[in-house]
Amino acid sequence: MSPSINAPTNVVTAQRPANALIWDVFCHVVDNLGDIGVCWRLCADLAERGQSVRLWIDEPGALHWMAPGALEGRMDGVQVLYWTDPLAPDLLAHLVPADVWIETFGCHPPPEVQAHRATAIAAGGTLPVWVNLEYMSAEAYVERSHRLPSLVSSGPLRGMGQWFFYPGFTQATGGLLRETDLAARQTSFNAAAWLVAQGLACAARPRASLFCYEPAALPALLQQAGQDHPSDWLVTTGRATDAVNAAQAQGLQMGQTNLHHLPRLTQRDYDHLLWACDLNFVRGEDSLVRALWAGKPLVWHIYPQHDDAHHAKLEAFLDWLQAPDSLRAFHRIWNGITPAHNVWPGWDVVDSWRACVLAARARLLAQPDLTSQLLEFVAEKR
């Protein structure tokens, strides 16, 4: 049974601002936290800036807890459409043609959508600005490939132009997602009050958030951290919890490490978690960006690829970050690139990582964000 999805005739047709465009954002879920996380933040940010957005998604269930109210149509300016195969009968007949198509992470818009638009174009309709929003990377090819044109090679829209758009960390890329009110929200955030509201003690000891896959170094990390200093480890629901439970089942000795298992967090509360901690273990793409905005020491568990292509991607990020040797070494251990018996570097070393993260954050804040760049790019191409 499909999740409850808001009806296809609401937000994008009523009382749109004069300068608003209709955006179709297509999301094919591979990792149901990473892809959907990035896409929802983009949709919400576009809507906050007065745009009308339709999120086409094939596995929308995570939005129930990630963005409560999204599936029921309670997010002003964003409409969620269930991308089934085939699409629901007559769905397209009720939709106003979009001005912009955002194809995320190499997915292709549903064939019915493409055929429907081809028919409309043949009858005199307009072309959408078709943007292929790619994966984020600090590798050199991103600057070379950003904003390059391409032609659709097959299907009913064959020969139509589209554009590559690459998120990234430098002025020559598409930037990173950053809401216009982010700085104000961080300034007003009360970590102690938020922790208490989550049922967590605000103790005078270090806190780490743990959002990861299944790193081989995890048991040694927790055990060695427990020998260093009393600390609280806030474990996110899902694969991180499963990995911790597996380590405990093998007789892990926790020492002074206090584990706290968290419920599912909304995207807003995940940001709060990062702001409330002294060290953030993150994974994939969306949480890395949020950890950079948090400005706290971070460790990135990059999505592993079978051909080890993620090794070069990780090294490129660490180069951009200007990571000190101790942070580079820990990343390589955490990502299984180099083995190590001594995993945990100590809280004093962790604290020394803060300077490079804050410097990187300052560089990013001096650059335009992803949504602003997309808006400018689309206006240029229209």
Side-chain angles (χ1 to χ4, degrees), residues 81-145:
L81 298 177
Y82 192 19
W83 179 353
T84 57
D85 184 17
L87 290 181
D90 300 325
L91 173 61
L92 295 171
H94 299 289
L95 297 179
V96 177
D99 303 299
V100 187
W101 282 2
I102 303 293
E103 173 186 336
T104 63
F105 310 129
C107 75
H108 301 292
E112 300 97 324
V113 172
Q114 296 189 50
H116 186 265
R117 193 57 177 261
T119 300
I121 291 170
T126 59
L127 295 168
V129 179
W130 189 342
V131 177
N132 193 332
L133 185 65
E134 286 286 351
Y135 288 100
M136 173 188 74
S137 180
E139 294 169 281
Y141 76 85
V142 168
E143 291 188 349
R144 296 194 303 268
S145 304

Side-chain angles (χ1 to χ4, degrees), residues 34-380:
D35 298 334
I36 194 171
V38 171
C39 290
W40 180 256
R41 287 195 194 271
L42 173 62
C43 291
D45 199 25
L46 284 167
E48 283 291 326
R49 304 183 196 214
Q51 305 301 299
S52 295
V53 188
R54 297 187 295 234
L55 173 60
W56 297 75
I57 186 164
D58 59 343
E59 294 184 24
L63 288 175
H64 278 299
W65 54 267
M66 187 178 290
L71 298 182
E72 295 76 27
R74 296 200 299 270
M75 298 296 187
D76 188 30
V78 183
Q79 176 183 4
V80 181
L81 298 177
Y82 192 19
W83 179 353
T84 57
D85 184 17
L87 290 181
D90 300 325
L91 173 61
L92 295 171
H94 299 289
L95 297 179
V96 177
D99 303 299
V100 187
W101 282 2
I102 303 293
E103 173 186 336
T104 63
F105 310 129
C107 75
H108 301 292
E112 300 97 324
V113 172
Q114 296 189 50
H116 186 265
R117 193 57 177 261
T119 300
I121 291 170
T126 59
L127 295 168
V129 179
W130 189 342
V131 177
N132 193 332
L133 185 65
E134 286 286 351
Y135 288 100
M136 173 188 74
S137 180
E139 294 169 281
Y141 76 85
V142 168
E143 291 188 349
R144 296 194 303 268
S145 304
H146 180 52
R147 296 171 65 110
L148 288 182
S150 178
L151 295 179
V152 178
S153 60
S154 62
L157 293 173
R158 181 179 179 180
M160 177 179 167
Q162 59 179 188
W163 304 87
F164 289 103
F165 210 88
Y166 279 84
F169 303 92
T170 68
Q171 291 279 5
T173 71
L176 304 178
L177 284 170
R178 183 177 79 239
E179 305 84 50
T180 57
D181 66 344
L182 180 64
R185 288 197 291 116
Q186 282 187 277
T187 300
S188 63
F189 176 66
N190 185 318
W194 184 81
L195 288 165
V196 170
Q198 307 307 307
L200 300 169
C202 185
R205 52 180 178 254
R207 284 184 299 274
S209 72
L210 188 61
F211 180 50
C212 61
Y213 302 112
E214 296 82 21
L218 177 62
L221 170 76
L222 293 175
Q223 182 167 327
Q224 292 168 20
Q227 298 166 356
D228 172 30
H229 191 283
S231 56
D232 292 320
W233 292 68
L234 281 54
V235 185
T236 56
T237 298
R239 293 175 69 170
T241 289
D242 294 343
V244 169
N245 288 342
Q248 290 183 299
Q250 297 298 317
L252 175 66
Q253 300 298 312
M254 298 297 298
Q256 301 180 91
T257 298
N258 303 301
L259 292 177
H260 306 274
H261 291 278
L262 300 173
R264 296 283 191 188
L265 297 175
T266 66
Q267 282 194 328
R268 184 63 59 94
D269 271 327
Y270 182 70
D271 289 346
H272 295 163
L273 170 67
L274 299 177
W275 300 349
C277 288
D278 304 291
L279 171 63
N280 292 308
F281 289 82
V282 295
R283 79 177 208 213
E285 188 164 315
D286 178 61
S287 61
L288 172 62
V289 174
R290 308 318 292 187
L292 285 166
W293 296 138
K296 304 292 185 69
L298 63 89
V299 179
W300 185 24
H301 199 176
I302 192 169
Y303 188 83
Q305 296 173 270
H306 67 89
D307 58 356
D308 290 339
H310 59 295
H311 292 185
K313 185 173 182 178
L314 177 63
E315 293 297 333
F317 169 72
L318 293 172
D319 287 344
W320 169 83
L321 187 64
Q322 299 174 21
D325 290 345
S326 59
L327 184 54
R328 290 175 182 269
F330 189 87
H331 270 88
R332 292 167 187 151
I333 294 168
W334 192 241
N335 284 276
I337 298 172
T338 58
H341 176 70
N342 294 318
V343 175
W344 175 243
W347 282 107
D348 289 342
V349 174
V350 168
D351 287 343
S352 73
W353 298 343
R354 188 184 305 268
C356 86
V357 177
L358 287 173
R361 181 176 180 270
R363 296 196 300 272
L364 291 170
L365 288 172
Q367 302 169 18
D369 64 272
L370 177 62
T371 303
S372 295
Q373 292 200 54
L374 273 173
L375 288 166
E376 181 181 4
F377 181 80
V378 167
E380 172 190 319

